[in-house]
Amino acid sequence: MPASFISFLAWIEASALGVWVGESQWGFPISLTLHAFGMGMLAGGNLVLALRLLGFVRSIPPTSLLKIYPLLWCSAVLSLISGVMLLSAYPAKALTNPVFYSKLTFVVIGLCLLARPVRHQLETMDLQAAPTSTQRRLGIVIALLWLATITAGRFLAYTHSVLRVNDLTGG
C-alpha cells in the first residue's frame, strides 16, 4: 500500500472528528445510531416506492408518494454526514475494504434512480392500470439495489482485514 495513502488514512484517523468518534464514550454510538436511522429511512422509503411501482398498495396514489421525497433526501444527507463520522474513526477499515466501495456504488446508483427515473414513473403512473413492464422492472431494481446496500453495510462489520492505520504499518 502506498505510503501516501497510509499517511492520508492516518491523518483522517487523527483528526479531531476521528478521535472523538473513535475514542469518546458517545461518538461512535451516536454516529452509528444516526447512520442506521438515516439508512433505514432511505432504504425503507425506497422499498415503499418499489412496492408501488410493482403494483402493490394500489390504494396509494403514486403522485402522493412524491411527498416523501424531502424525507428521503434528508435521510440521504443524514446518512452521508453520519457515514463520514464513522469513516473518520476507522478510515483504514473502510477504505481498504472492497465491500465499502460496493455499498457506496449501490447508494449512488439508488440516489440517481430516485432523482429521475423513479420520480418520472410515479408522476406518469396510471392509478387504475396495472404497472407497465418498465415500472415493474424499475421496482425490482430499486428493491434489490437497496437490499444489497443494507446487506453490504452489514457485511462491513465482518469483512475488514484491518481496523486502524497501525494495523497497516505494523505499529
Side-chain angles (χ1 to χ4, degrees):
M1 196 159 300
S4 59
F5 183 64
I6 293 173
S7 296
F8 175 67
L9 296 176
W11 175 76
I12 294 171
E13 194 175 288
S15 69
L17 181 62
V19 170
W20 181 74
V21 173
E23 297 178 14
S24 75
Q25 180 179 1
W26 293 102
F28 191 79
I30 288 171
S31 303
L32 190 58
T33 300
L34 291 174
H35 197 66
F37 181 76
M39 287 302 296
M41 293 297 294
L42 185 57
N46 272 279
L47 288 173
V48 167
L49 298 177
L51 288 173
R52 185 60 183 95
L53 288 168
L54 288 166
F56 296 99
V57 290
R58 285 193 189 176
S59 61
I60 300 174
T63 53
S64 71
L65 288 174
L66 296 173
K67 293 177 183 174
I68 69 169
Y69 264 64
L71 176 65
L72 295 177
W73 289 111
C74 287
S75 298
V77 170
L78 177 61
S79 297
L80 174 66
I81 292 168
S82 57
V84 167
M85 292 169 68
L86 292 168
L87 178 74
S88 71
Y90 301 100
K93 176 184 176 186
L95 298 176
T96 60
N97 189 341
V99 175
F100 176 75
Y101 296 103
S102 298
K103 179 184 175 184
L104 286 183
T105 301
F106 296 149
V107 168
V108 168
I109 293 169
L111 291 176
C112 289
L113 290 175
L114 179 67
R116 191 91 169 118
V118 172
R119 183 178 195 92
H120 173 72
Q121 291 300 324
L122 290 172
E123 290 170 340
T124 60
M125 196 173 199
D126 184 351
L127 181 60
Q128 304 304 327
T132 65
S133 61
T134 299
Q135 291 163 344
R136 283 193 302 273
R137 280 194 302 269
L138 185 57
I140 290 168
V141 168
I142 295 296
L144 292 176
L145 190 62
W146 287 102
L147 290 171
T149 301
I150 297 299
T151 302
R154 283 306 309 137
F155 282 171
L156 285 175
Y158 310 106
T159 58
H160 63 280
S161 57
V162 297
L163 186 60
R164 305 287 251 165
V165 174
N166 284 343
D167 297 338
L168 293 171
T169 61

